[in-house]
């Protein structure tokens, strides 16, 4: 009988591998954010009516200039844009932190997904204008509950624990430079030489009184 297969041990200093549950949950939250943005834009008429009702409840002695600013469509658009941008940035930041193994961000994102799913149930039984807004809201709600289920799995929690230990681990000192590849012996060039111009002559010749090999041929030619 063969022994059960054991996974190969990983390097203690290596970054823990991100499980598929965390990676897929982060991708689902991209769908959640896009769906919420589309639904938020589609509900502008409803938000406009609610804004006007709040403006009408202001005291009668409110300055006319202030009322004109509050009744302006540009004011409402700026307020809604800043509100939507803040929610998008916070959500995207929490998703990024979850991907990098921060456990507190994982818990917040999982709880936010459950909240969106519960809110979707109440929205289904309520009056939504326009009706087509339900489509992105349903898609984002289903993606949110799916992401929460994946983030609450054991491998997701273990990944965050491993990443926490990895961040607390001290950074190893840099490796010292290794020895030269030629065993510590540098290349020593040989004695330089001059090419034939008046005969080859080596600078490193240790016998200056030795006759040149061409001298005998030269003397026979002269004779």
């Amino acid at each position: 009988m063969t022994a059960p297969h054991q996974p190969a041990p990983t390097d203690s200093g290596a970054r823990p591998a991100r499980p598929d549950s965390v990676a897929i949950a982060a991708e689902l939250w991209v769908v959640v954010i896009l769906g919420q943005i589309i639904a938020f834009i589609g509900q502008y008429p409803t938000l406009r009516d609610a804004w006007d009702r709040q403006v009408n409840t202001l005291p009668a002695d409110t300055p006319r200039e202030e009322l004109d600013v509050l009744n302006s469509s540009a004011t409402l658009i700026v307020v809604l844009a800043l509100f939507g941008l803040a929610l998008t940035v916070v959500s995207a930041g929490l998703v990024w932190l979850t991907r990098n193994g921060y456990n507190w961000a994982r818990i917040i994102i999982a709880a936010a997904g459950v909240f969106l799913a519960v809110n979707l149930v109440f929205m289904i039984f309520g009056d939504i204008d326009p009706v087509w807004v339900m489509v992105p809201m349903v898609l984002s709600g289903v993606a949110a509950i799916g992401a929460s289920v994946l983030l609450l799995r054991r491998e997701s929690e273990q990944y965050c624990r491993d990443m926490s230990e990895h961040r607390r681990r001290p950074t190893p000192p840099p490796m010292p430079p290794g020895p030269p590849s030629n065993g510590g012996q540098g290349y020593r060039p040989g004695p330089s030489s001059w090419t034939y111009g008046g005969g080859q002559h080596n600078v490193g010749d240790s016998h200056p009184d030795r006759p040149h090999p061409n001298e005998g041929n030269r003397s026979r030619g002269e004779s």
Side-chain angles (χ1 to χ4, degrees), residues 2 20 30 32-33 42 46 60 74 110 118 129 138 180 192 215:
T2 58
D20 293 339
V30 175
V32 174
I33 293 174
T46 303
V118 174
D129 188 29
V138 169
S192 61
E215 290 182 357

Side-chain angles (χ1 to χ4, degrees), residues 119-198:
N119 184 61
L120 174 63
V121 175
F122 287 101
M123 296 293 291
I124 291 176
F125 296 100
D127 294 332
I128 298 180
D129 188 29
V131 180
W132 66 265
V133 175
M134 284 297 302
V135 176
M137 292 186 65
V138 169
L139 292 177
S140 62
V142 172
I145 194 63
S148 297
V149 171
L150 292 174
L151 292 176
L152 294 176
R153 296 183 65 174
R154 181 176 301 176
E155 57 266 28
S156 301
E157 181 182 1
Q158 185 63 41
Y159 165 70
C160 292
R161 291 180 179 179
D162 294 340
M163 282 298 298
S164 179
E165 295 178 359
H166 176 72
R167 286 189 293 267
R168 288 197 300 264
R169 189 177 300 121
T171 304
M175 296 295 293
S181 58
N182 55 359
Q185 300 294 331
Y187 174 73
R188 297 179 180 179
S192 61
S193 60
W194 296 316
T195 57
Y196 286 98

Side-chain angles (χ1 to χ4, degrees), residues 2-20:
T2 58
H5 176 70
Q6 297 291 338
T10 57
D11 186 7
S12 58
R15 179 189 178 94
R18 183 182 297 114
D20 293 339

